[in-house]
Amino acid sequence: MSGQSTASDPPDRSAEPFTYNGGRVDPGESTNIRYGISETYLGDPVKIPVTIVNGQHPGPTVFLSAAAHGDELNGIEVVREVAHDWDHTDLYGTLVCLPVMNVPGFLAQERYLPIYDRDLNRSFPGREGSTSARRMAHRIYTNFIEPCDLGIDFHTSTRGRTNMLHVRANVDDPEVARLAKAFSSNVIIAGEGAAGTLRREASEDGIPTITVEMGEAHRFQRRLIDRALTGVASVLAEFGCHRDSSVHWPGWRTVIDDDNEKTWLRADAGGLVDMKRSRGALVQEGDVICTITNPFKEEDEVVSVEAPFTGLIVGVLENPVVYPGNPLCHLVGLAAETKLALERERTTERSRSDL
Ligand SMILES: [Zn+2]
């Protein structure tokens, strides 16, 4: 538990310690904590890993959190690399790194808390004396979220689907919008988020917070992780934490709001899906996105699913089986200039798998 020094020079006098219930981390120190948020059926503690990196210099306190859904792994690696592989010698401010918030779900490799299948990411800010999920959320929130000035919560698509890397944020709040843009994703989906999500509750509490969606559950996807690390570096530059870094411009950006056409295309037939397009693909109206066939591949039974409008595939099915009504892909319409910028980019060497 004792802190490791992040640098040899003495810290600025104006830099402040980070305190939580049970401890403190002084400026210029980095500490790994296993913090108890609940107890198991055996009465043993349920502890979440937390790393606090308190810089030598004063600055904002930023949280980076992942695995609120226990099987969404990409963000864990992003948070770990920032906490343990980056050089924070000249950090202005404090990083609160929460790589695995939903420890019971993580151990079971499940999205929800395995206790009555509660969703930790609908339980914030939590409450003492309430359900097990809300008590856990409360312990996390009061100790490690409330002391922060801004935050990034990492997610992936639900199991069986994949997302291109994008930000979800309530861009009507100027500070949230600043954070969302600083992360430098190509796509920002506007919206306040569901009640009980970390990003909505923290943002409403005056702690601007965004969600980053990236890839699929149960995987470490290296290119997406690298892309997200670029986003974190860009945010730390924008908010003055890493003064030698610069804010990254993603080349093109679209903010998807209520004015954009967008839809989850759903299957109208049950069967096996032959997906023709991947996440990040630009499709033209009428393009075939996938076909659905029965086990006999009977030609007159093939259902062809076409794009109802020209747009970008933000999320797409990976597991190739559907019931009628199951989602096939998340398609969003784009403004003309965004379409042009995207087409230009696609003619260069950059591959879609970066998205
Ligand atoms: Zn999630």
Side-chain angles (χ1 to χ4, degrees), residues 69 72 111 155-156 213:
H69 293 138
E72 300 181 1
R111 176 180 177 86
H155 286 257
T156 73
E213 292 278 352

Side-chain angles (χ1 to χ4, degrees), residues 69-346:
H69 293 138
D71 61 355
E72 300 181 1
L73 308 184
N74 277 327
I76 297 176
E77 191 55 16
V78 176
V79 176
R80 284 199 325 157
E81 289 192 25
V82 173
H84 303 290
D85 295 347
W86 284 15
D87 179 2
H88 295 296
T89 312
D90 278 320
L91 178 67
Y92 286 74
T94 302
L95 302 180
V96 177
C97 302
L98 303 158
V100 184
M101 289 195 290
N102 178 357
V103 163
F106 176 71
L107 293 176
Q109 281 301 286
E110 286 177 10
R111 176 180 177 86
Y112 298 119
L113 287 161
I115 311 144
Y116 306 122
D117 277 347
R118 298 273 186 172
D119 190 341
L120 182 62
N121 203 32
R122 295 291 183 278
S123 305
F124 288 104
R127 194 150 50 85
E128 253 180 322
S130 183
T131 63
S132 56
R134 287 201 178 134
R135 289 181 195 213
M136 289 186 217
H138 177 75
R139 297 275 288 173
I140 297 170
Y141 196 86
T142 51
N143 283 290
F144 301 112
I145 306 298
E146 265 178 2
C148 293
D149 298 301
L150 60 134
I152 306 173
D153 188 29
F154 291 93
H155 286 257
T156 73
S157 197
T158 305
R159 179 171 54 190
R161 305 206 288 260
T162 187
N163 279 331
M164 68 183 289
L165 188 143
H166 69 277
V167 164
R168 295 184 177 210
N170 181 7
V171 294
D172 292 339
D173 178 325
E175 276 302 291
V176 177
R178 180 184 168 204
L179 172 59
K181 286 179 179 164
F183 193 83
S184 79
S185 62
N186 293 117
V187 175
I188 298 171
I189 297 185
E192 60 183 356
T197 54
L198 181 54
R199 79 165 164 101
R200 173 165 165 176
E201 300 301 331
S203 294
E204 286 184 354
D205 233 355
I207 307 156
T209 299
I210 58 171
T211 296
V212 173
E213 292 278 352
M214 49 190 289
E216 57 192 289
H218 299 281
R219 301 271 184 278
F220 276 171
Q221 293 169 288
R222 191 66 243 174
R223 296 175 85 149
L224 291 173
I225 290 165
D226 286 341
R227 185 65 195 72
L229 288 166
T230 301
V232 174
S234 180
V235 165
L236 295 184
E238 169 69 21
F239 288 88
C241 302
H242 278 178
R243 302 208 168 166
D244 294 338
S245 316
S246 51
V247 178
H248 183 75
W249 164 244
W252 57 273
R253 175 190 292 140
T254 182
V255 179
I256 310 291
D257 56 24
D258 290 341
D259 296 337
N260 288 73
E261 274 189 293
K262 56 178 177 295
T263 188
W264 266 101
L265 283 184
R266 289 178 183 277
D268 287 328
L272 297 153
V273 178
D274 182 8
M275 186 58 67
K276 315 278 189 197
R277 303 301 179 119
S278 49
R279 65 168 190 263
L282 179 64
V283 293
Q284 306 295 326
E285 181 178 346
D287 282 357
V288 174
I289 292 176
C290 67
T291 57
I292 303 171
T293 55
N294 68 22
F296 310 111
K297 289 194 165 234
E298 287 165 331
E299 300 239 334
D300 53 344
E301 296 288 324
V302 175
V303 174
S304 193
V305 180
E306 294 172 1
F309 52 85
T310 297
L312 183 66
I313 293 182
V314 173
V316 70
L317 188 77
E318 289 265 296
N319 183 359
V321 292
V322 284
Y323 276 107
N326 284 165
L328 293 166
C329 86
H330 187 194
L331 182 67
V332 300
L334 299 172
E337 65 268 23
T338 310
K339 243 178 275 178
L340 273 177
L342 195 150
E343 278 163 352
R344 253 199 314 274
E345 181 194 74
R346 295 293 155 80

